[in-house]
Amino acid sequence: MARFLITGAKGQVGHCLVQQLQDKAEILAIDRDELDITDRDAVFKVVKDFQPDVIINAAAHTAVDRAETEIELSEAINVKGPEYLALAAKEINAAILHISTDYVFNGEGTQEYKEDDATGPQGVYGKTKLAGEIAVQNANPRSIILRTAWVFGEHGHNFVKTMLRLGKERDTLGVVADQFGGPTYAGDIAAALIYIADEIIRGRKDVFGVYHFTGKPYVSWCEFAQAIFAEAISQNVLEKAPLVNGIATSDYPTPAKRPANSRLDLSKIKTTFGIEPSDWQKALKNIKAYA
């Protein structure tokens, strides 16, 4: 039976990884309470003791606005931690799958970003995540970088849960309408990572590198909110939907700049693995689980 080490096990994707793997593999699921991935010696000890076939790193400092001031913490969790995991994996000839983000790009234009397009992160979060990608790849040639965006799921904090809460509290909402991307269901990210890991365990050697995986169709945050409320009404999660007004990014200033364009080209992961985009509309059919 294959052995998986999952870090960030209590996060949105980590939680789904544990759920989907628990009956199929030997897993060591750890969160920051059990392992500080920024502690090199601790990382090497855990990896050496457990001897995983694959490490899936779902741990990250994802507080985009706080990252602007928590620079050292962001660098430790998003760069050094992944590097230590990758080095420890290499020492036992294990593969590492590492989750990254659309924030590595500058977020301009309307094109779908390909894996080898020029990067240009606009804030500390994006810069540290890009540095983490590079560190992982330099540390371990048997590495997969999976860039994703707009993650949501039944577990943890996310946009869907926020909208459902606000929908109960307010009659009108202003939601950004000039940022576009693909909402991505955490369970689909977990399934994609597990499929890729299984291919590697079965012996595929030509698949290491960077991949993009998000949901389709691409929408604005405003359109995503409207879809959430439509489902909530149809499933009697909300009695009445709030009026959703589209606003400009400039109307909602934040410490960190958000990408206007988070559209990622998903053709490589489909060509290599046959993995289809996340169906976020299908994932919302279970909206009672988010309420």
Side-chain angles (χ1 to χ4, degrees):
M1 189 177 278
R3 311 189 94 184
F4 285 76
L5 172 61
I6 301 166
T7 57
K10 293 179 182 175
Q12 291 193 86
V13 177
H15 181 82
C16 293
L17 284 165
V18 173
Q19 282 186 319
Q20 294 180 29
L21 278 170
Q22 58 189 357
D23 298 324
K24 301 175 185 174
E26 287 186 57
I27 59 173
L28 177 58
I30 51 181
D31 207 77
R32 57 190 171 194
D33 300 337
E34 295 91 17
L35 174 66
D36 176 2
I37 65 168
T38 70
D39 182 336
R40 189 182 192 278
D41 291 343
V43 167
F44 271 73
K45 184 178 189 312
V46 165
V47 172
K48 185 177 180 181
D49 289 350
F50 184 62
Q51 294 283 312
D53 298 294
V54 175
I55 296 173
I56 303 181
N57 180 36
H61 186 269
T62 57
V64 176
D65 289 324
R66 289 212 319 267
E68 292 299 307
T69 52
E70 297 177 349
I71 298 172
E72 287 186 11
L73 182 63
S74 295
E75 290 175 343
I77 298 173
N78 292 343
V79 186
K80 301 310 293 184
E83 180 182 29
Y84 298 153
L85 288 164
L87 287 168
K90 185 184 179 186
E91 194 168 82
I92 63 166
N93 198 36
I96 180 166
L97 279 57
H98 173 68
I99 301 171
S100 193
T101 173
D102 59 296
Y103 276 71
V104 301
F105 297 109
N106 67 18
E108 297 174 359
T110 59
Q111 79 283 4
E112 296 180 8
Y113 286 103
K114 295 182 180 293
E115 285 82 355
D116 56 358
D117 281 345
T119 52
Q122 298 296 294
V124 172
Y125 172 66
K127 289 174 182 175
T128 58
K129 289 298 289 181
L130 178 59
E133 289 185 7
I134 295 166
V136 167
Q137 290 185 293
N138 286 342
N140 191 338
R142 301 186 75 228
S143 60
I144 295 281
I145 308 295
L146 190 76
R147 294 177 182 150
T148 190
W150 294 27
V151 181
F152 71 96
E154 298 91 342
H155 178 83
H157 301 290
N158 55 67
F159 185 78
V160 175
K161 290 190 172 187
T162 299
M163 288 300 103
L164 291 176
R165 176 176 55 81
L166 293 176
K168 294 174 183 175
E169 298 171 356
R170 303 184 189 177
D171 294 323
T172 61
L173 284 175
V175 182
V176 171
D178 56 1
Q179 296 172 19
F180 295 87
T184 315
Y185 178 53
D188 291 339
I189 299 172
L193 287 165
I194 292 166
Y195 185 87
I196 293 169
D198 285 343
E199 289 287 285
I200 292 168
I201 290 167
R202 280 197 284 267
R204 284 190 70 178
K205 297 179 173 62
D206 59 340
V207 297
F208 298 106
V210 181
Y211 294 88
H212 289 168
F213 178 74
T214 67
K216 276 192 171 182
Y218 300 121
V219 287
S220 69
W221 287 113
C222 183
E223 290 167 329
F224 188 28
Q226 290 167 337
I228 292 165
F229 291 131
E231 280 297 336
I233 293 295
S234 71
Q235 297 180 42
N236 298 314
V237 172
L238 290 177
E239 291 182 10
K240 180 169 74 81
L243 176 64
V244 180
N245 296 313
I247 63 173
T249 299
S250 57
D251 294 330
Y252 189 71
T254 55
K257 182 180 178 183
R258 266 54 174 182
N261 177 23
S262 294
R263 302 174 184 90
L264 301 181
D265 184 289
L266 310 179
S267 55
K268 182 181 176 184
I269 197 167
K270 183 174 181 179
T271 300
T272 307
F273 296 107
I275 294 173
E276 298 286 347
S278 173
D279 186 345
W280 61 265
Q281 292 167 313
K282 179 182 177 183
L284 287 184
K285 297 296 181 187
N286 186 32
I287 205 158
K288 288 181 180 178
Y290 304 85

